[in-house]
């Protein structure tokens, strides 16, 4: 898994934890943390998918060449 995908996944997990803590304390600021978790999970998926496609493209070029 690429480094950017791992970092985005860590941010996602931390944002979810912050949202839970925020909601338990009765603060509506947890909504912002939920939005950040959604964005970071999309980034993690994007970077993981991009690395997978790049790897497949490289392997295809090596096999064809």
């Amino acid at each position: 898994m690429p480094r950017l995908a791992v970092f985005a996944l860590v941010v996602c997990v931390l944002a979810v934890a912050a949202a839970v803590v925020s909601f338990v304390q009765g603060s509506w600021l947890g909504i912002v943390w939920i939005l950040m978790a959604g964005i970071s999970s999309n980034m993690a998926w994007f970077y993981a998918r991009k690395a997978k496609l790049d790897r497949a493209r490289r392997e295809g070029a090596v096999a064809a060449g």
Side-chain angles (χ1 to χ4, degrees):
M1 192 177 231
R3 186 179 306 165
L4 285 174
V6 173
F7 288 157
L9 193 59
V10 168
V11 169
C12 180
V13 170
L14 291 175
V16 168
V20 168
V21 169
S22 183
F23 283 131
V24 165
Q25 291 179 349
S27 173
W28 287 97
L29 191 62
I31 293 172
V32 175
W33 291 113
I34 293 294
L35 294 174
M36 185 178 289
I39 290 170
S40 61
S41 70
N42 286 343
M43 288 175 60
W45 177 85
F46 172 80
Y47 286 121
R49 179 81 175 145
K50 183 177 182 286
K52 182 179 177 182
L53 291 175
D54 289 344
R55 190 177 331 112
R57 198 172 294 130
R58 271 196 315 264
E59 290 173 359
V62 170

